[in-house]
Amino acid sequence: MRGVRAFLRRCAVFVCGIFCFIAVSCADSEPRVVSAKGSVVFDYASEDSFPVARLAVFVQTESEVRRVSSVQVDSRESGYRWHISAPRMFKSGDRQWVCYTNLLPPEHDRVPQGAYDVRYIDAAGEEAEAGFTIAYAERLLRTKADGVSAELPAAAEESVALYDADDVLIYFGRRKDSWNERSGILRDYGTAAYLRRCISADGERVVCLLPAEPLLARTKKVRGDE
């Protein structure tokens, strides 16, 4: 009998271990979202044009970012819904994000202001939710590039984006002191074909992307050319 009892005890421990493993595995498979952030991007094609406004959404997640299947973004105020079936993924240190930077409103309409809901869906169909709010001065839609700085708060920050001839971003950050001349930029980034000034305000919730400024003799059109 002792042998039977010992065997049954071992079986019970084994079964409990299996259930614990399954429970932990299921818990680990649930998506976990840290936060969501939205930005309105005012994109200027030229000095003489008004901007095209679009919505950019970033979702920081604790669960494995490669497991994302889709992201759904809903505007509470307008009822608009965007379904992103192929979001972009990136990591920085121990942080990871899912994002999409080109959500356009319906034709002839504006990016809705107010509260948004974000639904993150993983490969197993499990969901996690988060939210953010959008606010911006609508007069920016009627402001040309040379008037942007006057319409933004004094605390607005300026960065520089450098692109190569294939429109690939190769640098984003503050303009270096040695970059007052184009030669200074090309000395550090020889493949840079053009730059775009980026002015952001309200914790990067409002971003103005100014027209392309060529750095090299162009053999192809760069973004912003007509």
Side-chain angles (χ1 to χ4, degrees):
M1 288 295 292
R2 289 182 179 175
V4 173
R5 291 195 191 98
F7 175 77
L8 292 176
R9 281 197 297 269
R10 287 196 297 271
C11 287
V13 171
F14 177 78
V15 171
C16 288
I18 291 294
F19 275 115
C20 289
F21 175 79
I22 292 173
V24 171
S25 298
C26 291
D28 286 346
S29 68
E30 295 178 359
R32 295 184 297 277
V33 169
V34 177
S35 64
K37 180 179 180 180
S39 299
V40 180
V41 180
F42 296 88
D43 194 339
Y44 287 84
S46 71
E47 295 287 347
D48 297 324
S49 64
F50 293 122
V52 173
R54 64 178 188 267
L55 179 65
V57 176
F58 301 84
V59 181
Q60 185 181 352
T61 173
E62 286 184 348
S63 49
E64 175 52 54
V65 70
R66 288 175 297 180
R67 287 180 53 80
V68 65
S69 172
S70 61
V71 175
Q72 181 176 295
V73 181
D74 293 273
S75 164
R76 294 185 195 172
E77 303 299 324
S78 68
Y80 292 156
R81 170 175 293 176
W82 293 266
H83 184 80
I84 307 165
S85 58
R88 299 173 183 174
M89 299 163 281
F90 67 95
K91 292 185 177 182
S92 177
D94 59 352
R95 297 182 180 183
Q96 53 187 359
W97 287 268
V98 173
C99 69
Y100 197 81
T101 59
N102 196 31
L103 296 178
L104 297 175
E107 191 174 6
H108 306 305
D109 213 335
R110 300 175 178 181
V111 174
Q113 301 200 53
Y116 282 74
D117 295 314
V118 178
R119 182 173 298 167
Y120 171 100
I121 305 168
D122 71 7
E126 298 292 333
E127 300 179 1
E129 296 184 351
F132 61 85
T133 58
I134 287 293
Y136 60 91
E138 293 194 358
R139 61 180 177 273
L140 282 169
L141 295 166
R142 304 182 298 275
T143 301
K144 294 184 179 181
D146 60 359
V148 164
S149 295
E151 297 295 342
L152 294 177
E157 297 184 354
E158 181 171 327
S159 301
V160 171
L162 300 180
Y163 298 84
D164 66 14
D166 295 316
D167 300 326
V168 176
L169 180 68
I170 57 176
Y171 172 85
F172 182 81
R174 295 292 182 88
R175 181 191 288 265
K176 299 181 181 180
D177 293 338
S178 59
W179 288 3
N180 291 328
E181 301 292 336
R182 295 180 182 180
S183 58
I185 298 174
L186 294 174
R187 183 171 55 251
D188 293 340
Y189 290 90
T191 60
Y194 64 97
L195 69 80
R196 300 190 73 177
R197 294 166 55 210
C198 178
I199 304 177
S200 61
D202 191 21
E204 298 182 348
R205 290 178 174 83
V206 175
V207 177
C208 294
L209 192 57
L210 302 188
E213 301 177 27
L215 298 172
L216 297 172
R218 292 168 290 177
T219 57
K220 59 169 285 185
K221 291 183 178 181
V222 297
R223 195 173 302 163
D225 286 344
E226 297 182 355

